[in-house]
């Protein structure tokens, strides 16, 4: 069942099984607030079981670009388009959030972003490959993030 993420009242609905559920819910709400403020887009998510196409697209990019396989199970995902940018998010039980920003113009920006919920360890599959910068969020505490540029066409 698809539902809009409320960034006014942060809820752990859909991510309760995460050991950092509150921080992951805050991270998800932080993304919802960003898209509402920047694009007037309501950020909706659905359970991973209902979002297999989105999850497979994100996992394919990770595998083909950097030979990365995420070990944590996905809990929720979303895919949408704002302006000329295709976006996809996958939220994992470990507290990891992965997003793909894929500008539809050939000359546009295309990247994969990783965000770590407050309190989680850096996943083993990412630890030796990426440096994570810190940012503060009222909704999510301290978020650690990193990214890489997509080189191929998807």
């Amino acid at each position: 069942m698809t539902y809009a993420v409320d960034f006014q009242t942060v809820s752990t609905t859909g991510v309760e099984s995460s050991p950092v559920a509150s921080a992951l819910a805050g991270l998800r709400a932080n993304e919802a607030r960003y898209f509402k403020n920047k694009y007037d887009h309501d950020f909706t998510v659905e359970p991973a079981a209902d979002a297999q196409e989105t999850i497979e697209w994100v996992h394919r990019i990770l595998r083909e670009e950097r030979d990365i396989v995420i070990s944590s199970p996905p809990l929720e995902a979303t895919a949408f388009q704002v302006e000329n940018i295709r976006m996809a998010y996958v939220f994992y039980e470990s507290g990891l959030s992965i997003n793909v920003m894929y500008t539809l113009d050939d000359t546009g920006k295309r990247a994969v972003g990783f965000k770590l919920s407050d309190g989680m360890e850096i996943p083993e599959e990412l630890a030796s490959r990426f440096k994570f910068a810190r940012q503060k969020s009222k909704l999510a505490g301290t978020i650690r993030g990193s990214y890489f540029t997509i080189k191929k066409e998807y």
Side-chain angles (χ1 to χ4, degrees):
M1 178 169 146
T2 301
Y3 67 94
V5 176
D6 182 357
F7 57 87
Q8 304 288 343
T9 306
V10 178
S11 167
T12 58
T13 299
V15 296
E16 303 92 343
S17 65
S18 173
V20 292
S22 293
L24 181 57
L27 179 60
R28 183 180 62 186
N30 187 64
E31 300 300 323
R33 181 179 59 196
Y34 171 80
F35 282 99
K36 186 64 173 177
N37 290 340
K38 181 155 176 104
Y39 299 104
D40 195 29
H41 172 78
D42 291 324
F43 194 88
T44 61
V45 292
E46 60 186 340
D50 298 331
Q52 286 304 304
E53 188 175 323
T54 297
I55 294 167
E56 288 169 12
W57 186 66
V58 170
H59 286 180
R60 176 179 165 225
I61 293 170
L62 292 172
R63 190 176 55 253
E64 291 183 13
E65 292 282 329
R66 296 291 179 100
D67 198 29
I68 295 172
V69 176
I70 302 300
S71 60
S72 181
L75 297 177
E76 293 183 325
T78 186
F80 55 92
Q81 185 172 324
V82 289
E83 295 179 356
N84 205 29
I85 305 167
R86 181 178 176 191
M87 297 295 307
Y89 277 81
V90 181
F91 296 94
Y92 295 87
E93 189 171 61
S94 65
L96 174 67
S97 167
I98 297 179
N99 71 75
V100 173
M101 177 189 76
Y102 196 88
T103 303
L104 299 177
D105 298 331
D106 289 337
T107 57
K109 294 179 182 178
R110 295 175 177 167
V112 173
F114 303 100
K115 290 187 180 172
L116 309 177
S117 294
D118 206 0
M120 74 171 284
E121 295 295 321
I122 298 173
E124 186 178 313
E125 54 270 36
L126 304 178
S128 64
R129 299 175 182 216
F130 299 96
K131 300 277 186 215
F132 287 83
R134 294 178 186 277
Q135 94 184 55
K136 290 282 190 183
S137 163
K138 288 182 181 178
L139 293 171
T142 301
I143 301 170
R144 290 165 291 158
S146 192
Y147 76 97
F148 68 85
T149 303
I150 296 172
K151 304 289 186 208
K152 298 178 186 174
E153 298 280 324
Y154 296 94

